[in-house]
Amino acid sequence: MQTDFMESQTRSNLMKAFAGECQSRQRYYQAALIAQQEKMVGIERMFRFTAEQEERHAMVYFKLLKEAAGTQVNITADYPADVFYDLQQLLDSAARDEQNEAEILYPEFARIAREEGFSEAASKFEMISKIESSHRERFLYYSELMRSDKLFRSDSTEEVWICLNCGHIHTASEPPGTCPVCNAEQGYFIREKEAPFTA
Ligand SMILES: [Fe+2]
Ligand SMILES: [Fe+2]
């Protein structure tokens, strides 16, 4: 039997999730701006790419609140105050926040939604928790590259790099200091296998 939505825990969990996603999106946009200032374009794009996905998650949760339309939903929740200006810290804290959503928060919200009879909300929490887990992997991947000074250095001389500005392909252990085609700085290069839309 379904709990009355307006009396349910799921209603406030959806609002908490909405608030959390809006904040993740904003944190990642801010991180993208810091990366942009440091001319780390690959990292900047990765944060923006993820921020856009958080925005979609916020919309998914917000739509599920339609039964509460026109009302106020009061929530109490903890949200991360990750005020960092260092890319390494930003990547690490993003990975931590994603882990919390993926492994603790959303599985718990999904369980409660199932108990209360809201199967659509439950399955969105479950599916989005898997996405957050993939976000965590992505942040950890870049965090590790940065920590080991391998963002622009590979152990393989066959590494394929792509310039995010013009698409120039360069095969070597390191990307060029500036792109020979468009003069973009090294920060524009990422491994080709990390590029979107590569076959
Ligand atoms: Fe999200
Ligand atoms: Fe995420």
Side-chain angles (χ1 to χ4, degrees), residues 156-168:
S156 164
T157 54
E158 300 296 302
E159 193 75 70
V160 182
W161 306 86
I162 182 169
C163 170
L164 287 170
N165 199 42
C166 72
H168 172 62

Side-chain angles (χ1 to χ4, degrees), residues 21 24 53-54 57 98 101 106 128 132 135:
E21 296 289 349
S24 303
Q53 292 169 9
E54 308 303 10
H57 301 170
E98 296 286 0
E101 280 179 347
Y106 290 165
I128 292 176
E132 307 304 4
H135 287 177

Side-chain angles (χ1 to χ4, degrees), residues 23-132:
Q23 292 176 33
S24 303
R25 168 183 175 264
Q26 181 66 18
R27 282 197 306 277
Y28 299 161
Y29 271 129
Q30 290 173 183
L33 290 175
I34 290 167
Q36 186 183 30
Q37 282 164 9
E38 297 191 13
K39 300 190 189 314
M40 299 288 273
V41 179
I43 301 288
E44 177 203 344
R45 300 269 175 96
M46 187 275 296
F47 270 116
R48 284 189 197 281
F49 180 70
T50 314
E52 279 170 19
Q53 292 169 9
E54 308 303 10
E55 179 177 84
R56 297 302 142 163
H57 301 170
M59 287 171 73
V60 168
Y61 292 136
F62 199 65
K63 277 193 197 159
L64 287 168
L65 281 160
K66 63 183 179 298
E67 269 186 65
T71 69
Q72 300 279 328
V73 181
N74 187 287
I75 56 168
T76 304
D78 294 319
Y79 295 109
D82 293 337
V83 189
F84 299 121
Y85 298 93
D86 172 84
L87 286 181
Q88 185 77 62
Q89 281 177 314
L90 284 165
L91 288 166
D92 290 340
S93 65
R96 252 192 330 270
D97 300 341
E98 296 286 0
Q99 182 174 22
N100 183 49
E101 280 179 347
E103 293 176 13
I104 298 167
L105 206 62
Y106 290 165
E108 176 68 358
F109 288 179
R111 185 189 63 74
I112 293 168
R114 282 226 186 275
E115 255 173 40
E116 292 184 332
F118 301 108
S119 59
E120 192 187 355
S123 76
K124 300 291 189 204
F125 282 132
E126 283 158 2
M127 288 188 286
I128 292 176
S129 103
K130 292 203 180 87
I131 301 171
E132 307 304 4

